[in-house]
Amino acid sequence: MLQMPTMQNRETQLQSSYTPALTKTAILVIGGAEDKVHGREILHTFFNRSGGSEAVIGIIPSASREPTIIGDRYVQIFEEMGTKYTKVLDVRDRDQGNDSVYLDYVEECTGIFLTGGDQLRLCGLLAETPLMDRIITRAQNHEITVGGTSAGAAVMGYHMIAGGSSGESPNRSLVDMAMGLGIIPEILVDQHFHNRNRLARLLSAIASHSELLGIGIDEDTCAMFESDRTIQVLGKGTVTIIDARSMSYTNQSQVKGSEPLSIHNLKLHVLCHGERYDLNSHQALPLK
């Protein structure tokens, strides 16, 4: 395991020894339950895109009700991979989103990882704080790699699915919406997707937000957003993409509660490992 400096001098050592890693940044949106034990393909990809052995990673476990346990677990994983330095940003109240130590650390980071838990809790603690604003700016400027799993994936869009049910026909009562963090504003993410039968839930959300691209991500699966505006699929499951830009009709404004929704003229893609999607042309790209 990587030997870490003491608490008293670790920040000073970081600032004096840090040089930016030449790496290709990305935003990794992970459907949850990613492999943490065996091949760790998705987490290795995050590690490599954050700079590999030169990576300086911040773990944000604020979505979890056990942030210390969850944070330490990811620290151990990334240290075993060989990061230069990994630290937990243990934000438990909104005032910590203005903590100068955390803000300084984010300036040195090459990767930020948002863990699972409760997406409402994560947004309640971090949305519109200086800390999260700086992370979002650096991610959108392609200066840093960001990964989010489960709840950390749900918050990626400006709008997010905060909760709801599954296993029913699409209907308005099936999904609860809230504001997300807006790291990738134009998407609407649902996680643990086919594993928890959430297609109807995502369709219900898209019916009232047809301007957004619906992204349903299975467990141990990642939709990796590249700087060239393509999405690459990693992992053992699928990524379902719902394009509602040409939606011609929905009865969403007429029905109530659990009455079924009709939604006409959607385009749906199901992508497997290695396949890509072009966000500019809105075309799925098969394996070469």
Side-chain angles (χ1 to χ4, degrees):
M1 183 178 293
L2 189 67
Q3 185 175 357
M4 305 308 296
T6 66
M7 284 294 294
Q8 293 179 338
N9 63 13
R10 60 175 57 176
E11 307 296 343
T12 302
Q13 288 185 15
L14 232 185
Q15 293 174 5
S16 63
S17 65
Y18 172 72
T19 54
L22 297 176
T23 189
K24 186 179 179 184
T25 63
I27 299 176
L28 283 74
V29 188
I30 306 164
E34 73 281 0
D35 176 14
K36 302 177 184 66
V37 179
H38 302 293
R40 295 174 172 175
E41 176 193 16
I42 293 170
L43 294 178
H44 266 293
T45 300
F46 173 80
F47 162 76
N48 289 327
R49 289 300 187 94
S50 298
S53 61
E54 292 298 308
V56 178
I57 292 175
I59 309 296
I60 299 181
S62 301
S64 174
R65 295 194 178 279
E66 297 181 327
T68 301
I69 295 173
I70 297 298
D72 288 349
R73 186 178 187 189
Y74 280 101
V75 167
Q76 180 181 1
I77 288 169
F78 292 126
E79 285 183 354
E80 288 173 357
M81 292 180 185
T83 57
K84 185 172 185 177
Y85 188 73
T86 304
K87 175 177 180 174
V88 176
L89 307 183
D90 191 3
V91 176
R92 303 195 190 196
D93 62 65
R94 285 187 60 83
D95 288 343
Q96 290 178 284
N98 198 31
D99 188 305
S100 61
V101 174
Y102 287 169
L103 287 166
D104 289 344
Y105 185 75
V106 164
E107 294 301 323
E108 308 294 345
C109 278
T110 59
I112 292 287
F113 195 88
L114 308 172
T115 75
D118 181 344
Q119 51 263 45
L120 284 173
R121 176 180 170 83
L122 177 58
C123 287
L125 288 170
L126 283 166
E128 299 181 340
T129 62
L131 178 65
M132 185 50 65
D133 288 348
R134 186 59 185 143
I135 291 169
I136 293 170
T137 298
R138 296 201 68 204
Q140 293 177 345
N141 289 339
H142 313 299
E143 299 172 359
I144 190 172
T145 289
V146 172
T149 185
S150 190
V155 300
M156 288 289 177
Y158 183 73
H159 296 276
M160 77 172 179
I161 295 174
S165 304
S166 61
E168 303 176 24
S169 299
N171 66 79
R172 294 180 63 175
S173 66
L174 197 62
V175 60
D176 301 319
M177 300 294 296
M179 304 305 295
L181 295 178
I183 299 172
I184 312 173
E186 68 267 33
I187 66 172
L188 182 61
V189 176
D190 210 347
Q191 1 76 331
H192 305 279
F193 194 61
H194 284 116
N195 311 83
R196 300 186 186 178
N197 195 16
R198 286 178 168 171
L199 176 59
R201 186 167 88 164
L202 184 55
L203 287 169
S204 302
I206 286 294
S208 59
H209 293 282
S210 59
E211 76 282 4
L212 303 177
L213 192 68
I215 309 284
I217 310 173
D218 295 349
E219 292 179 355
D220 196 18
T221 307
C222 171
M224 183 165 65
F225 287 73
E226 301 277 19
S227 58
D228 64 358
R229 287 187 55 79
T230 60
I231 303 171
Q232 182 175 352
V233 178
L234 306 173
K236 71 177 186 181
T238 62
V239 172
T240 299
I241 297 177
I242 301 173
D243 177 2
R245 292 175 306 128
S246 299
M247 184 178 72
S248 57
Y249 172 78
T250 177
N251 64 349
Q252 192 269 342
S253 62
Q254 286 85 47
V255 296
K256 299 178 181 179
S258 59
E259 295 175 356
L261 287 169
S262 62
I263 315 167
H264 298 181
N265 205 32
L266 299 178
K267 184 180 286 188
L268 186 144
H269 308 272
V270 180
L271 280 66
C272 297
H273 179 88
E275 294 183 326
R276 294 176 298 137
Y277 183 86
D278 189 322
L279 289 164
N280 293 319
S281 66
H282 288 276
Q283 296 293 318
L285 307 174
L287 286 170
K288 294 181 180 179

